[in-house]
Amino acid sequence: MIELVPLQMKDCEQVAEIASASLPEHWSLKGIQDVLRYDDNIYSVARCTENGKIVGFSGIMVIPDEAELLNIAVHPEWRGRGIGQMLLSDMLKKAEEKGAMRLLLEVRKGNDTARALYRKNFFSEIGERRNYYSNPTEDAIIMERRFEQKEDII
């Protein structure tokens, strides 16, 4: 079984390993540890309850009215089990709870699996950044998910 829990310092090495195995451009161990220093960063890890192993992670940065998906990755051996969807749903919920009116992200143009996941979760493609990624060089698609605005009850 998989549980989602907040990222803690003790998890950072496992998260760095997943990032290295999953993302051509990934943050260093220090970069991952640094996200814990800022209150506007919210990170979760997917933990296997049987053995305590971290199998995925995701994180957002929330600023007034807006959030950005900074990272999401699932260990290659654990893909195809719905963990990416769990992590994304968790970040969507947390962004909305923090008052964000939208969640933005960039994704590699050729990452069809990720783009399909985002579209399934009501993200729209709103732009493109030419040559945004390196290793290899590739364009980024900018995607946005707007949250339904709740009117104040008087």
Side-chain angles (χ1 to χ4, degrees), residues 102-121:
R102 67 183 184 157
L103 178 63
L104 295 165
L105 62 85
E106 288 105 5
V107 60
R108 282 182 178 269
K109 191 172 189 174
N111 190 341
D112 295 331
T113 302
R115 289 173 67 190
L117 174 66
Y118 299 138
R119 281 192 299 273
K120 176 180 155 190
N121 285 273

Side-chain angles (χ1 to χ4, degrees), residues 103-105 115 118-127 141-146:
L103 178 63
L104 295 165
L105 62 85
R115 289 173 67 190
Y118 299 138
R119 281 192 299 273
K120 176 180 155 190
N121 285 273
F122 307 103
F123 280 83
S124 301
E125 296 183 5
I126 62 168
I141 300 297
I142 304 165
M143 300 184 81
E144 170 190 63
R145 161 77 185 266
R146 289 200 167 270

Side-chain angles (χ1 to χ4, degrees), residues 81-99:
R81 302 180 195 194
I83 297 168
Q85 178 62 61
M86 288 174 62
L87 288 162
L88 182 58
S89 294
D90 182 53
M91 292 295 106
L92 287 165
K93 179 181 174 198
K94 288 178 175 165
E96 194 169 17
E97 287 173 352
K98 290 287 188 178

Side-chain angles (χ1 to χ4, degrees), residues 61-78:
M61 176 179 60
V62 181
I63 55 176
D65 299 338
E66 192 169 280
E68 181 177 351
L69 183 68
L70 300 175
N71 300 99
I72 186 166
V74 176
H75 191 285
E77 294 175 11
W78 287 81

Side-chain angles (χ1 to χ4, degrees), residues 20-86:
S20 177
S22 302
L23 306 168
E25 294 175 339
H26 56 273
W27 292 4
S28 66
L29 173 59
K30 179 162 180 6
I32 292 166
Q33 291 169 332
D34 283 349
V35 303
L36 293 171
R37 296 179 32 210
Y38 301 100
D39 292 337
D40 55 358
N41 290 333
I42 301 170
Y43 269 75
S44 293
V45 294
R47 175 175 289 140
C48 177
T49 57
E50 288 86 35
N51 60 17
K53 182 177 171 116
I54 304 298
V55 298
F57 70 98
S58 58
I60 57 174
M61 176 179 60
V62 181
I63 55 176
D65 299 338
E66 192 169 280
E68 181 177 351
L69 183 68
L70 300 175
N71 300 99
I72 186 166
V74 176
H75 191 285
E77 294 175 11
W78 287 81
R79 291 185 187 150
R81 302 180 195 194
I83 297 168
Q85 178 62 61
M86 288 174 62

